[in-house]
Amino acid sequence: MPDDETAGDAASASVRSDMDGGVATITLDRPDALNALTIPMKGELLTTLRAIARDRTVRAVVLTGAGRAFCAGQDLKERLEPDPTPLGVEVRERYNPIIRAMRAMPQPIVGAINGVAAGAGASLAFACDLRVAAEGASFVLAFGRIGLVPDSGASWFLPRLVGPAKAAEIALLGSSMSATDAERFGLVVRVVPAETLADEARAIATRLAELAPRALAHTKRALERSWSVGLDDALDDEAYRQGIVGATSDHAEGLAAFIDKRPPRFTGE
Ligand code: T3D
């Protein structure tokens, strides 16, 4: 691991995180460069994700961008500096850990896609559990336009999210996918006016934050696992996870709340 993972402490942080009522909001904050990812920024993002994953008071996460873009992917100007890290190393050691951290964290992540999500920025959007988009937002696999291949999970997420035919069109032609098309293909759950995006994303995250955290974490893991196993394995996996969450206090609380006709109060126990 390159030794920039603690860059999140820097005064010029370009990743902000705010906590409110069990929902952590992570904001990519380099609006002048459409939130393009630099080496320090990738370190900050990874540190933030790992800290949130360990924090049991965080029940759901919102990931968004400052300004008019969600994220324009790799900062291409940084690549022109002397002695850039070889691309394979950059992807393996700085991008892949971010995607793995997003998928491994127990909390669900809601992507609030406020504008263009390009290159690895699109990959970050795909790695969220749910996405809500502002009118005018778009997804662009910009990799091909600069002679690169989709990375940071884009080639894996996209066919699963929109189907192989649409994925091939977007990945090979580099066509931009509008928010409206993204909703049609199920990539985003909803398209909303830009001025209501933050509230909409927060409302979804708040709903998630009110659910039983361990059941949510197991659901996230089971959905992901289902992509690579057959029905037989999936049935076994469901039984295994049900055995675990079925023994939690939160399950007992859910049952009691149903009988009492009141909202449940889940604690994560
Ligand atoms: O390490 C590695 O390289 C391997 C990993 C690769 C992963 C990747 O992400 S590769 C793909 C990298 N991203 C791109 O190729 C996208 C480049 N950007 C664009 O194609 C366009 O900017 C957008 C389609 C995203 C938006 O277009 P538009 O017309 O709305 O905005 P713009 O005028 O192009 O950009 C506004 C500013 O942001 C501009 O700066 P300036 O001229 O006002 O000072 C532009 O240079 C800057 N900007 C946008 N994208 C990037 C960027 N600066 C650095 N890196 C960027 N990726």
Side-chain angles (χ1 to χ4, degrees), residues 19-24 51-60 107 209 267:
M19 175 72 177
D20 183 11
V23 175
I52 287 174
R54 286 191 300 269
D55 186 341
R56 288 166 60 95
T57 65
V58 179
R59 300 276 193 93
Q107 302 94 338
T267 62

Side-chain angles (χ1 to χ4, degrees), residues 141-150 170-174:
L141 288 206
F143 305 92
R145 297 179 184 178
I146 53 169
L148 295 180
V149 298
I170 296 169
L172 293 172
L173 292 174

Side-chain angles (χ1 to χ4, degrees), residues 34 36 68 72-77 79 87 90 120 142-143 151:
L34 306 189
R68 71 178 175 92
Q74 168 62 34
D75 187 310
L76 297 176
K77 293 168 188 165
R79 296 299 311 167
L87 286 184
E90 188 66 28
F143 305 92
D151 67 21

Side-chain angles (χ1 to χ4, degrees), residues 66-213:
R68 71 178 175 92
F70 176 71
C71 174
Q74 168 62 34
D75 187 310
L76 297 176
K77 293 168 188 165
E78 188 180 61
R79 296 299 311 167
L80 302 176
E81 287 171 10
D83 248 353
T85 311
L87 286 184
V89 175
E90 188 66 28
V91 170
R92 202 171 291 117
E93 298 193 0
R94 293 205 175 91
Y95 280 100
N96 291 354
I98 291 173
I99 302 302
R100 289 196 170 105
M102 289 175 73
R103 297 315 309 149
M105 66 199 299
Q107 302 94 338
I109 308 174
V110 179
I113 315 303
N114 53 303
V116 64
S123 306
L124 287 182
F126 300 157
C128 294
D129 294 281
L130 300 170
R131 284 149 294 277
V132 54
E135 294 164 358
S138 58
F139 300 84
V140 195
L141 288 206
F143 305 92
R145 297 179 184 178
I146 53 169
L148 295 180
V149 298
D151 67 21
S152 308
S155 67
W156 190 84
F157 288 114
L158 196 58
R160 287 168 168 81
L161 290 169
V162 301
K166 193 67 185 171
E169 179 196 336
I170 296 169
L172 293 172
L173 292 174
S175 322
S176 169
M177 187 185 225
S178 67
T180 317
D181 269 359
E183 186 179 26
R184 205 154 50 87
F185 279 86
L187 178 59
V188 304
V189 293
R190 203 161 303 145
V191 180
V192 297
E195 56 279 14
T196 64
L197 178 72
D199 286 346
E200 191 70 34
R202 196 179 159 74
I204 295 173
T206 301
R207 269 177 61 195
L208 291 164
E210 286 165 358
L211 296 170

